[in-house]
Amino acid sequence: KMRIAVLTSGGDSAGMNAVVRSIVKSAILKGCETYVVREGYEGLVRGNSEAVSSVPTSSNAKEHHRSESPLASGDADSFVHNLRFGDGELLRDGTGDHPGGRSLKGRYIVRVGWDDVRGWFSQGGTLIGTARSVVFRTYEGRLTAASNLIKEGIDAIAVCGGDGSLTGADVFRAEWPKLVAELATQGRITPEQAKAHAHLRIVGLVGSIDNDMSMTDLTIGAPTALHRICEAIDNIDSTAFSHSRAFVLEVMGRHCGWLALLAGVSGGADFIFIPERPPEADSWEDEMCKMIQRHREIGKRKTIVIVAEGAHDKHLNPIRAEYVKDVLTERLGLDTRVTTLGHTQRGGRPCAYDRLLPTLQGVEAVEALLEATPDTPSYMIGVAENKITRVPLMDAVRMTNEVTQAIKDKDFDKAMSLRDPEFRE
Ligand code: F6P
């Protein structure tokens, strides 16, 4: 019976809980045992070593849970008949509301069952926690992570995160045989364990509000963040209209302009700054003011400018919302305010598509893990023209890095065409 663990890593995004739910449920239906790793890669490195003594006995009796669970003794079908019963530990964690509750203190790799993830698709953020782990970037950290996985008998992991998190997953997998050999030499695992865990299966799902991953049309959480920005624009619109003001909105996205661009189109912005396509003119200030002046002359009472947090001019000098405000105030005499939307874009309930997409992708992720062989690459689950896809993870990461490099090289046409192969000047 394959043991699959799922973790979320990097910045949280709406839909991550739906990923966990979908993977847990699909894996159970395929007869697998399911685990979550709390706090991303950090939890993988911490493992369950501090466990038992600090945990109330009612919740730490892992073996007891296993033996009484319908999954432990029966097959997937018998489990399906017992869907009412939680098989895992999250529901029994003592706090009753959050998987990071006190009885799981010191335990990061946790057995979960059907009921543990019930209703998770409507929750924002990630209930199993996330982190940007520094220690997992070190070889020693990955060695300990491997040892923790093997101790729990886990054969496969599904990682939901951005490009950095998925790169980490692929490095881990490539290194796995070396890690296992070293653990066996050090006596941290038995030769039998080394043999049983000769290969690690890994699959990536892209959870990021930035929609910055190549080879997939959408990342999980991006539609919700976009929706949030549109709502903010609508709210700002009415006050801007009332006072006939200008507003400069700074939105997230790191090196990617997707959120800014699509929010600008969906919300009717007057001017948009994105990293991939800086203004053409030597003086973007003139270009922007000319455009906004024209809009005002044809009767617009309000002005909305959207600045992606990674925006810059064509010489790569950052374009900051505060500076844009000063330009609008001084050159056009507009009463201007800045609104930085910040983390309101990232948190909160997922929109419908950020429930649907992770649900479908979770099913595909489990299939990919079950079908993986030592010779197949690690896959990233994507979506292209509304179809769920499987693409080699490293190809997607490489292409994503190429975009960032093209921006750094000021090759903006290349950046645009890598983001969108249909892009034409
Ligand atoms: O990658 C997601 C993201 O929200 C980016 O848009 C933003 O630049 C960054 O994370 C913010 O990170 P933090 O929450 O660590 O400040």
Side-chain angles (χ1 to χ4, degrees):
K1 196 178 261 189
M2 192 185 290
R3 289 188 180 174
I4 297 182
V6 50
L7 65 87
T8 52
S9 170
D12 64 280
S13 68
M16 280 184 161
N17 294 316
V19 166
V20 177
R21 171 186 175 273
S22 174
I23 288 177
V24 167
K25 293 199 170 186
S26 330
I28 288 172
L29 288 172
K30 294 277 180 187
C32 306
E33 284 187 11
T34 45
Y35 293 77
V36 293
V37 181
R38 297 170 46 222
E39 318 298 352
Y41 290 122
E42 199 67 24
L44 216 50
V45 178
R46 292 189 193 174
N48 290 343
S49 45
E50 300 164 37
V52 195
S53 58
S54 61
V55 181
T57 35
S58 61
S59 313
N60 71 14
K62 198 168 188 182
E63 292 312 317
H64 172 67
H65 286 169
R66 268 199 199 134
S67 59
E68 75 173 12
S69 89
L71 246 194
S73 50
D75 56 18
D77 287 341
S78 78
F79 180 70
V80 171
H81 292 300
N82 286 288
L83 293 184
R84 283 179 303 123
F85 302 108
D87 167 62
E89 299 173 86
L90 299 190
L91 284 178
R92 303 165 198 203
D93 115 58
T95 61
D97 61 349
H98 195 278
R102 62 177 181 277
S103 65
L104 289 176
K105 192 164 173 283
R107 299 183 55 244
Y108 291 90
I109 305 175
V110 182
R111 178 91 161 92
V112 289
W114 192 277
D115 278 0
D116 291 311
V117 294
R118 192 181 288 281
W120 277 31
F121 55 4
S122 58
Q123 308 276 320
T126 166
L127 288 163
I128 59 173
T130 184
R132 300 192 204 274
S133 175
V134 176
V135 67
F136 189 75
R137 289 194 208 135
T138 66
Y139 179 77
E140 277 308 314
R142 293 193 293 276
L143 195 64
T144 305
S147 146
N148 289 332
L149 280 177
I150 293 172
K151 276 186 210 145
E152 298 299 323
I154 289 164
D155 318 285
I157 55 176
V159 176
C160 179
D163 54 345
S165 307
L166 299 189
T167 307
D170 203 71
V171 169
F172 194 43
R173 187 200 164 186
E175 232 173 37
W176 185 260
K178 190 175 163 205
L179 297 172
V180 171
E182 188 157 341
L183 288 170
T185 312
Q186 292 180 7
R188 288 164 75 180
I189 57 169
T190 64
E192 292 71 36
Q193 283 176 316
K195 198 165 164 222
H197 291 277
H199 304 289
L200 178 69
R201 299 162 189 242
I202 283 213
V203 70
L205 297 99
V206 203
S208 168
I209 65 164
D210 302 338
N211 201 25
D212 56 350
M213 181 63 88
S214 295
M215 298 180 80
T216 185
D217 290 350
L218 266 183
T219 59
I220 297 162
T224 302
L226 177 59
H227 188 71
R228 212 71 87 223
I229 300 169
C230 285
E231 279 175 344
I233 297 177
D234 290 348
N235 292 340
I236 280 171
D237 252 10
S238 53
T239 176
F241 185 90
S242 308
H243 290 260
S244 191
R245 277 177 174 162
F247 274 82
V248 184
L249 262 74
E250 189 191 286
V251 304
M252 281 188 170
R254 218 180 277 267
H255 306 295
C256 185
W258 187 86
L259 281 175
L261 182 63
L262 271 79
V265 173
S266 317
D270 296 81
F271 209 84
I272 305 167
F273 292 98
I274 60 169
E276 298 87 339
R277 200 89 198 129
E280 300 268 317
D282 266 330
S283 163
W284 60 261
E285 291 90 339
D286 291 347
E287 191 180 332
M288 175 184 75
C289 288
K290 217 164 113 194
M291 175 87 78
I292 289 171
Q293 181 70 33
R294 204 167 72 230
H295 291 172
R296 287 277 170 169
E297 279 164 10
I298 57 174
K300 269 192 109 172
R301 260 182 78 80
K302 60 169 175 69
T303 300
I304 303 283
V305 175
I306 300 192
V307 183
E309 62 179 357
H312 44 71
D313 66 16
K314 63 183 185 179
H315 307 293
L316 300 186
N317 302 309
I319 295 178
R320 301 268 179 246
E322 278 297 333
Y323 178 66
V324 175
K325 172 197 151 185
D326 291 344
V327 172
L328 294 174
T329 310
E330 284 157 24
R331 296 209 189 177
L332 297 179
L334 293 173
D335 186 8
T336 309
R337 300 286 187 274
V338 170
T339 303
T340 303
L341 295 182
H343 289 76
T344 58
Q345 296 160 89
R346 212 161 85 185
R349 282 186 184 278
C351 68
Y353 199 67
D354 274 325
R355 303 175 191 206
L356 182 62
L357 181 65
T359 300
L360 300 177
Q361 289 187 328
V363 175
E364 184 67 16
V366 171
E367 296 279 346
L369 288 176
L370 288 169
E371 286 164 21
T373 71
D375 302 323
T376 48
S378 305
Y379 285 113
M380 178 187 97
I381 308 302
V383 58
E385 298 185 347
N386 241 359
K387 301 266 184 304
I388 305 301
T389 57
R390 234 184 249 191
V391 296
L393 192 111
M394 279 329 280
D395 289 356
V397 169
R398 196 174 312 114
M399 203 166 150
T400 306
N401 292 338
E402 274 175 38
V403 184
T404 321
Q405 191 54 49
I407 294 174
K408 279 191 193 143
D409 296 341
K410 303 182 196 166
D411 191 346
F412 303 116
D413 280 348
K414 183 173 176 194
M416 284 300 282
S417 51
L418 282 167
R419 285 259 192 258
D420 175 9
E422 313 250 305
F423 168 74
R424 278 183 299 274
E425 189 41 42

